[in-house]
Amino acid sequence: MRITIDTDRCIGAGQCVLTAPGVFTQDDDGFSELLPGRTDGAGDPMLKEAARACPVQAITVESE
């Protein structure tokens, strides 16, 4: 899987971090980013739910 975060769209709501803390974190400004080494989110059952939980749909999850 490939995960992308539209940083221009992200508002820092943090729903992704709350839903899938093993994949997402927030930077010093409060915006979402992937944890180091988690660019594919493999094995996290909450990954797609985290993308759906984003209030501005800034997260895209694609199958490769």
Side-chain angles (χ1 to χ4, degrees), residues 21-58:
V23 177
F24 298 97
T25 188
Q26 288 179 295
D27 65 16
D28 292 338
D29 295 321
F31 296 105
S32 296
E33 63 182 12
L34 295 171
L35 287 170
R38 293 308 307 253
T39 57
D40 66 355
D44 195 306
M46 296 302 289
L47 175 60
K48 289 183 180 179
E49 183 58 34
R52 282 192 289 272
C54 179
V56 294
Q57 287 91 37

Side-chain angles (χ1 to χ4, degrees), residues 1-4 39-40 60-64:
M1 298 191 134
R2 181 180 145 167
I3 308 164
T4 55
T39 57
D40 66 355
T60 303
V61 178
E62 299 173 308
S63 297
E64 292 186 306

